Amino acid sequence: MNDQEMFGTGGGGLPSESAQGWTLPPPPPPAGTESPGGGRGLRGRVAIASVVAAAVLFASGFGVGWTAARGAPSVAPAASPGVSSSLNVSAIATAVEPAVVDINTFIDSRFLGAPISGFPLPGGSRPLGAGTGMVLTPSGLVLTNNHVIEEATSIRVTIPGRSGTYAARVVGANPTDDVALLQIEGVSGLATVTAGSSSTLTVGEGVVAIGNAFGQGGTPSVTSGAVAALDRAITVSGALSGAEHLQGLIQMSASVSPGDSGGPLVDAAGRVVGMITAGATSGPGQAVAPVGFAIPIDHALSIVGQIRSGNTAGGIILGVPGFLGVQVSPSETAQAGAQGTTGALVVGVVSGTPAAAAGIVQGDVITAIDGRRITSSASLGPAIRAHAPGQTIRVTWVGSGGTHTATVRLAAGPAA
């Protein structure tokens, strides 16, 4: 698998590290075509969820697209055991599917770099991506991947056996470990998954993967395989924000497809032992990955526990992060004129945001937040996301007329 392409399996949408968390995406292609790539936005993480960096819709009748590519795994390939004959795949699917939901995400069009045409959606929003979630409580707490909901300004969930869709909000997330917790609004009495323990998994054990393949909705897709390796580490190549690393993953021979991100990996007893998060293909453009990776459920649920307790240690973000409203260059450093200022180069400012009100404009270089040095776009994102909407921060930047400092009150931003 050294020469394989890695890709995420969820719908995370647009872009890269910025004060808010993204950079400008490319203009959308014509409706009905597939995105040529661009990754979780432009980051190079091809989502294995039906997704849309450049604007391929995932809804029925609009075609399916997904963003482009994860980097190579950081460890040697493991053997792929055969499927265990003890698996009753049909019975497992029947037991688990009522607690598996489809997640569709949308983004406010003002956060995009090009005007929207051909998408007459209420509120100027447009489809961003699609993935899968697991219901944890009857009142609607849902576990999914962070990259499924990343950059979304609104989230809709489809629940098996119920008509229509339901709004969901982000309770919290840990972007580093790719875990997010959602709350479906206005529901009760939902079927829930049964959690097993990933600590008892063994290589060769049969498993079943369930998800919203290709974001098409309806009855979930089901594939089966076996645990090929444990405690795997992969590197997600980021074209803009550098490499991401996921560790401690379950590798399985069950195939995964765009849209499966956030779906359950289930053992022979119907207990969830992992959350699907990535797949490996033999080359670009391969729609189904014969090798999948999942976050161990023990680890995912420990993060859920931290979120529910309000613990923000270890990179956890509660709710949606604060939003400054700048889009920054993907470069590790930025040069401003003859001064050679190092920082985060602003390439765009969203109208009506705190950044616009403060007078920050394209071409400025942000050099500090609350007096702490900003050396690149990668360091700006975390500095902003550490604050909640409504909190104030002090922003220092270099631009026309020299160095400027302003205190701004952060707005509510898209999901981290």
Side-chain angles (χ1 to χ4, degrees):
M1 211 163 55
N2 289 330
D3 59 350
Q4 290 175 325
E5 177 185 12
M6 302 295 302
F7 57 92
T9 55
L14 296 168
S16 165
E17 302 289 359
S18 75
Q20 150 43 35
W22 62 71
T23 55
L24 290 167
T33 61
E34 290 187 356
S35 168
R40 230 163 49 177
L42 304 178
R43 255 194 269 200
R45 176 176 188 162
V46 192
I48 207 184
S50 141
V51 103
V52 16
V56 181
L57 297 182
F58 47 77
S60 176
F62 288 92
V64 176
W66 54 91
T67 57
R70 291 192 132 190
S74 59
V75 290
S80 295
V83 179
S84 170
S85 60
S86 65
L87 283 179
N88 186 333
V89 177
S90 178
I92 292 170
T94 299
V96 178
E97 284 176 359
V100 177
V101 298
D102 298 338
I103 298 173
N104 290 332
T105 60
F106 302 82
I107 186 169
D108 189 312
S109 61
R110 70 192 179 107
F111 298 133
L112 298 172
I116 301 303
S117 61
F119 303 105
L121 298 173
S125 66
R126 58 162 279 188
L128 177 62
T132 310
M134 295 176 270
V135 180
L136 301 181
T137 67
S139 59
L141 281 177
V142 171
L143 173 65
T144 191
N145 285 135
N146 182 69
H147 75 262
V148 168
I149 52 91
E150 185 180 26
E151 311 301 350
T153 54
S154 64
I155 302 168
R156 305 293 299 185
V157 174
T158 303
I159 303 169
R162 302 199 181 196
S163 61
T165 64
Y166 295 79
R169 60 179 174 83
V170 180
V171 179
N174 185 327
T176 301
D177 289 337
D178 203 13
V179 173
L181 182 65
L182 309 181
Q183 173 66 59
I184 305 174
E185 304 286 10
V187 296
S188 62
L190 300 186
T192 62
V193 294
T194 299
S197 176
S198 46
S199 65
T200 61
L201 278 177
T202 58
V203 172
E205 182 174 345
V207 287
V208 173
I210 301 174
N212 179 20
F214 300 105
Q216 294 180 334
T219 303
S221 63
V222 179
T223 61
S224 59
V227 175
L230 299 168
D231 199 24
R232 299 287 272 180
I234 60 175
T235 298
V236 182
S237 297
L240 297 181
S241 60
E244 284 181 60
H245 305 282
L246 292 175
Q247 300 179 350
L249 302 181
I250 301 162
Q251 180 178 330
M252 68 278 193
S253 59
S255 60
V256 291
S257 302
D260 286 337
S261 277
L265 184 69
V266 186
D267 67 12
R271 299 168 300 197
V272 176
V273 293
M275 177 170 62
I276 302 167
T277 193
T281 71
S282 57
Q286 184 173 342
V288 177
V291 176
F293 295 88
I295 297 170
I297 195 64
D298 294 353
H299 182 58
L301 291 180
S302 72
I303 293 173
V304 168
Q306 293 177 65
I307 292 171
R308 296 188 71 181
S309 68
N311 183 358
T312 58
I316 289 176
I317 299 170
L318 300 178
V320 295
F323 177 56
L324 180 60
V326 298
Q327 298 155 324
V328 297
S329 166
S331 304
E332 284 303 308
T333 59
Q335 301 299 313
Q339 297 176 349
T341 302
T342 299
L345 175 63
V346 176
V347 297
V349 178
V350 180
S351 62
T353 62
I360 299 173
V361 298
Q362 181 178 354
D364 289 347
V365 177
I366 296 176
T367 58
I369 299 294
D370 288 334
R372 298 184 63 179
R373 184 77 175 147
I374 298 299
T375 58
S376 68
S377 60
S379 63
L380 180 60
I384 300 297
R385 291 195 298 269
H387 298 82
Q391 290 186 328
T392 59
I393 61 170
R394 194 170 71 258
V395 183
T396 302
W397 70 96
V398 175
S400 177
T403 299
H404 309 266
T405 297
T407 297
V408 302
R409 186 176 301 278
L410 296 175

